[in-house]
Amino acid sequence: MTTHPHMALVLSRICARFADEERHDLSVLRDVTFSVRTGSFVSIIGPSGAGKSTLMRVILGMMLPTSGEVVRNFSRPAMVFQNYALFPWLSALDNVAFGLRMSSVPKQERERVAREKLKEVGLLHLENHYPAQLSGGQRQRVGLARALAIQPDFLIMDEPFSNLDTITAEELKADLLKIWRAYGITILMVNHLIPDAIELSDQIILMGAHPGHVEKVVAIDLPRPRDTRGALFFQDVDALTEEIRKIS
Amino acid sequence: MIRSVTHPQAGPWHRIHLMRHRRALILMTIVIGIAVLFGISGYFSGVAWPTLLEAVLRTTYRLALAYGIALVLGVTIALLVGWSPFIDFFFPFFDILQNIPSFALFPLFIYFFGFTDQMIILFATSSIVWPILFAVLTAIKGAHKDLNDAATIFGATGFRRVSFYLAPLALPAVLTGSIVGIAIGWEAIIGAEIIANIAGFGAFIKNVDISGIDASAVAGALAILVIVFVINRLVWAPLLLESSRRYAE
C-alpha cells in the first residue's frame, strides 16, 4: 500500500457494483480516483445517480469497493447527515453524547463535552429538547455537535444545507467555517449548490453519473474569507456551472 | 413587543389525543351508566358475583403471564434477528409460522401440557408473540438508512447496537405490538378456556350459556370491558402519548 503523508484520504480506481432488486448487475462507481489533503475542505458535486452516497459508505468503510484502493489516514471519522439522523428517543444532550457513550466515556465527562459542543453550535439552552421539538436548523446543529463531540479527524457532510431555509443555511455555513478553522479537521462535503461549494471549499470534485465517476477536480484559489459578492467569486461560479452543464 | 402565545406542545396531535381521551371517557361512562341502570332494575340479581370475579381474575392472571412471556420472547427474538444479517432470511419463515391458526395447534398444547393452567398460558403466548415479534422486526427493517448509518458511525456496533440503538428504536413497535397481542390474547385464552372447559372466564360464560342465565354473560362481558378500558387508559394511552411525542419526526 502506498503511503501519502499529507493526504487524509486517497481513492485509487474505486469501482463498486451491486445487484439491484431484480438482480441486475449495477455499476455504481467506476474508476473513482481523487485525494483529500489533510485539513482541507473538499466538496463533491454531481447529479443524481453519481453514486455519491455509495462513495461516502466506501470512504467510511461501511461498504467494500469491488476493486480499487482506499487509503484512510484518519482514525475518527464522523458524519453529518442530510436528514439529520438524530435518535428521536434521545434528548439533544444525549444525542451529542451518543458517540462518547459508545466509547465508554464516563457520564460526567461525556455530558461535559456534549454541553461544550452544544454551546459551540449555540444550542446549550435546548439540551433537554428531543429532536421532534427542534427546528430543521437546530437539528442540523445538534447533528454537527454530535459529530464534533467525538473529536473527529475526518468529517463527512452529506448535503447538510439542502433541507434548511436560506437564512438558517447561511448561519450554519458561517459556523461551519469557524469550526473548520478552529478544529483543523478535514471536511468532505457532498453538495448540490455551486456557490456554497465555492464559498467553502479548497477543492471541488465534479462527478458524472451512470456509473459515478470523477469528471474533473477543480481547485478553488480564492482568498479566505471569501467575498461571495465579488466579481472573482461569480467568475468561478459561472465557470463551474459551465463545467457541470457540459457533464449533464 | 412580539410575544408568542402558543404553547409549543399544544399541537394538533395533542388536541386529537385529548379528543380521543374524552371520547373514550364518554363511551365508558355510557357503558357504566347502562350497567348501573341494569343493576338498579334488578337485572343482575341472579349473577353469582364471587364466581364471576374469580373467573375474570383467573383469565386476567393467565393473560398477564402469557403477555409477559410473549413480550420477553418476541422482543428478544426480534432484536437478535434484527441485529443479525439474517433478517431477510427469517422474515418469510416467521410469516409462514404466524399464519398457522393458533387453534389448529391447540390439540398439540393439550397433548404436551394437558388440561392445565400452563397449557392455556403457553397457548396464549403462542398467539400473543407474533404481533410483538413482527412489529419489532418491521420497525428494525424499516428504520431509515441514515439512522442505521449514524448508529454505526458513532460506534453502536456489536451487542451495544442492540441495547443502545435497536431496542430504543423498536420501543413504539413494542407498544403497538403489545396492544394487538393482548387483544388476540384475550380471544386465545377465553377460547381455550371454553374448549378445554378449564376454570376461567371462558368456562364461566360457557356454563352460564348452557344454564341460560344471560345476565351473568352480560355482567361478565361488562367486567372484561372495564378491565380492558382500565388497562388501556392507565397503561397504553400514556405510553402511546409519550412515544408519539418522543418519536415524532
Side-chain angles (χ1 to χ4, degrees), chain A residues 57 62 88 101 104 130 133, chain B residues 9 149 154 160 164 246 248:
Chain A
R57 295 174 70 80
M62 293 164 69
R101 190 171 191 191
S104 306
Y130 288 92
Q133 298 169 302
Chain B
Q9 285 176 354
D149 286 351
F154 290 103
R160 279 168 180 269
F164 291 102
R246 281 207 188 183

Side-chain angles (χ1 to χ4, degrees), chain B residues 23-216:
Chain B
R23 240 181 279 154
L25 277 175
I26 291 167
L27 191 72
M28 203 55 215
T29 312
I30 293 170
V31 170
I32 291 171
I34 292 170
V36 169
L37 282 177
F38 270 103
I40 292 168
S41 68
Y43 181 74
F44 294 132
S45 56
V47 176
W49 288 104
T51 317
L52 169 63
L53 195 67
E54 194 200 329
V56 167
L57 286 179
R58 218 183 261 269
T59 301
T60 311
Y61 156 78
R62 284 177 188 142
L63 179 71
L65 270 185
Y67 168 66
I69 299 169
L71 181 70
V72 173
L73 209 62
V75 171
T76 307
I77 293 171
L79 287 179
L80 290 177
V81 170
W83 174 54
S84 77
F86 307 116
I87 186 166
D88 289 326
F89 170 78
F90 278 107
F91 210 87
F93 177 69
F94 286 141
D95 200 24
I96 292 168
L97 283 180
Q98 69 115 18
N99 269 308
I100 300 170
S102 303
F103 281 98
L105 301 175
F106 195 56
L108 279 179
F109 280 90
I110 293 175
Y111 177 79
F112 283 111
F113 302 102
F115 291 88
T116 58
D117 239 12
Q118 290 95 308
M119 183 275 287
I120 303 246
I121 290 163
L122 292 175
F123 172 70
T125 301
S126 74
S127 302
I128 301 170
V129 77
W130 295 114
I132 297 174
L133 192 141
F134 269 91
V136 174
L137 271 184
T138 309
I140 291 172
K141 219 168 128 69
H144 199 288
K145 195 175 77 59
D146 281 355
L147 211 58
N148 282 329
D149 286 351
T152 308
I153 290 164
F154 290 103
T157 51
F159 197 70
R160 279 168 180 269
R161 192 171 187 82
V162 177
S163 44
F164 291 102
Y165 174 60
L166 297 178
L169 173 80
L171 203 64
V174 172
L175 288 182
T176 48
S178 294
I179 292 169
V180 177
I182 284 184
I184 294 172
W186 280 115
E187 287 176 22
I189 291 180
I190 293 171
E193 286 169 350
I194 290 173
I195 295 171
N197 205 17
I198 292 176
F201 183 69
F204 176 83
I205 51 172
K206 184 183 179 185
N207 294 334
V208 295
D209 185 46
I210 290 165
S211 56
I213 307 166
D214 290 340
S216 291

